[in-house]
Amino acid sequence: MYTFIQKFHSGWAYLALLLLVIAVANSLIGMSSKKEFTAKDRKIAIFGLIATHIQLVVGMILYFVSPLGSAVFGQMKDAALRLTSLEHPLTNLIAITLITIGWSKHKKATTNEAKFKSIAIFFGLGLLLILSRIPWSLWFK
């Protein structure tokens, strides 16, 4: 079961990252071209939001069934273990919180530019945080 969850978490990450990149790019294009915020733009952003939330739930399940969850406090000197057991989960939790804030702020915005801007900024910050803490050495094995 652990191996399946780990593979699913790794595979779903590609989809979540792709949808985030598309949402950020779409928002930047919409903001710069001064276009109207349409249902298509909303769907693109919500797919990114949903994909990251699914990734969070699967990651939390993985964290609590893996041996890494209990290894956090004893192995802070090992950089690879610290990345996968502490830095990756905490940073990604912050990133997904920012993405959720961006979604909420976009719903309260009244102008098209403000809607695109909140998604571009908060989803973009979340994407950067996620990319900064991906254990790349494990992805390319």
Side-chain angles (χ1 to χ4, degrees), residues 44-91:
I44 290 171
I46 200 164
F47 287 150
L49 177 80
I50 291 169
T52 56
H53 279 84
I54 291 171
Q55 183 71 353
L56 173 67
V57 170
V58 173
M60 290 180 80
I61 292 168
L62 179 63
Y63 185 79
F64 289 111
V65 300
S66 78
L68 295 174
S70 61
V72 172
F73 298 107
Q75 311 254 338
M76 287 296 124
K77 292 180 183 175
D78 182 0
L81 185 60
R82 185 178 62 241
L83 172 66
T84 55
S85 63
L86 184 67
E87 294 171 3
H88 175 74
L90 288 177
T91 304

Side-chain angles (χ1 to χ4, degrees), residues 30-132:
M31 196 169 57
S32 66
S33 67
K34 308 267 191 234
K35 72 176 201 163
E36 182 181 343
F37 191 88
T38 63
K40 176 191 74 96
D41 301 312
R42 186 186 63 77
K43 287 176 186 174
I44 290 171
I46 200 164
F47 287 150
L49 177 80
I50 291 169
T52 56
H53 279 84
I54 291 171
Q55 183 71 353
L56 173 67
V57 170
V58 173
M60 290 180 80
I61 292 168
L62 179 63
Y63 185 79
F64 289 111
V65 300
S66 78
L68 295 174
S70 61
V72 172
F73 298 107
Q75 311 254 338
M76 287 296 124
K77 292 180 183 175
D78 182 0
L81 185 60
R82 185 178 62 241
L83 172 66
T84 55
S85 63
L86 184 67
E87 294 171 3
H88 175 74
L90 288 177
T91 304
N92 288 336
L93 185 61
I94 293 166
I96 294 169
T97 301
L98 287 171
I99 291 166
T100 306
I101 290 169
W103 175 256
S104 296
K105 286 181 73 70
H106 120 275
K107 290 193 305 185
K108 295 176 185 174
T110 55
T111 65
N112 294 321
E113 184 180 3
K115 289 177 185 275
F116 282 124
K117 187 175 183 180
S118 65
I119 290 173
I121 290 172
F122 286 94
F123 279 46
L125 287 172
L127 177 62
L128 288 175
L129 284 174
I130 290 169
L131 290 173
S132 76

